[in-house]
Amino acid sequence: MNHNLYAAVTEYFTKAMPDAKTELKYGNPFQLLVAVRLSAQCTDKRVNMVTPALFERFPDAESLAKADFDEVIKYTKSISYPNSKTRDIIAAAQIIVEKFGGTLPTTVEELETLPGVGRKTANVVASVLYGAEVMPVDTHVFRVAARIGLTKNAKNPLQAEKQLEEGFDNNILGRAHHWLILHGRYVCTARNPKCKECGLTEICHYYLNAQQ
Ligand code: SF4
């Protein structure tokens, strides 16, 4: 574990992105769960285009639990994998009403029992809403962490998650998650990372190796 590298990355992003947070729009905890589920293999931008109307019609678990699939999909059809995502959000709403009294559960373990909610989604929701000290690893986090050198030989998201949770201070994991996502979305892009616009060139392993 390279503690100096973690410290330098933390220092950089604390100044560069002091207010990093999710770009998904939501008005209550249930809406965040729905937005995160809809955002799998889809952009936040696209999700934010459909959720205002969806949430106006179905603002909470109670209303969505009673909804017909055919009505909901009218709102979600432009999202990737609309059928399975629509089924999942309705089923999740029904379970939240039946088992949790209409309130979104707060632990990662309980969230993972909901349809369509895997480890990453549960971690994102618990981190954003409840400050859970976890590091959800999506494609951006996985790539950016590996390039900078924060993770070493991580073969899968779970290995990356463990390394990042060990490297960053617990109390900044939530922010660090958004730092790496936003950096990956706008600067350290999958193809052709914009290294000339990046403030990490002095410490980024990918960049330093490319200069040799
Ligand atoms: S220097 Fe380049 S590869 Fe490294 S984090 Fe910045 S954009 Fe990504």
Side-chain angles (χ1 to χ4, degrees), residues 135-152:
M135 170 57 77
V137 173
D138 73 352
T139 179
H140 295 303
V141 173
F142 191 81
R143 179 184 70 254
V144 174
R147 280 181 179 162
I148 295 172
L150 294 170
T151 53
K152 285 265 176 281

Side-chain angles (χ1 to χ4, degrees), residues 12-13 143-145 147-149 183-184 187-189 192-208:
Y12 169 73
F13 282 119
R143 179 184 70 254
V144 174
R147 280 181 179 162
I148 295 172
H183 196 61
V187 181
C188 192
T189 41
N192 305 320
K194 302 180 179 83
C195 299
K196 286 191 180 139
E197 297 173 20
C198 179
L200 294 169
T201 49
E202 285 178 19
I203 54 172
C204 171
H205 290 196
Y206 176 98
Y207 182 83
L208 294 172

Side-chain angles (χ1 to χ4, degrees), residues 24-102:
L24 290 168
K25 291 181 187 159
Y26 65 99
N28 61 42
F30 176 72
Q31 292 180 5
L32 177 68
L33 177 84
V34 170
V36 175
R37 175 65 189 107
L38 295 179
S39 72
Q41 291 165 299
C42 191
T43 64
D44 287 5
K45 199 171 163 193
R46 159 76 37 198
V47 173
N48 287 338
M49 287 164 74
V50 309
T51 47
L54 176 71
F55 293 154
E56 192 176 339
R57 174 68 184 85
F58 305 107
D60 50 26
E62 278 84 0
S63 51
L64 194 60
K66 290 183 264 179
D68 281 338
F69 175 89
D70 289 345
E71 187 183 358
V72 180
I73 199 144
K74 285 181 195 157
Y75 295 90
T76 54
K77 62 183 181 219
S78 65
I79 301 261
S80 62
Y81 307 103
N83 291 337
S84 57
K85 289 178 179 177
T86 300
R87 272 194 295 273
D88 282 344
I89 60 174
I90 296 172
Q94 290 167 343
I95 291 175
I96 290 166
V97 170
E98 286 160 19
K99 283 200 187 160
F100 299 101

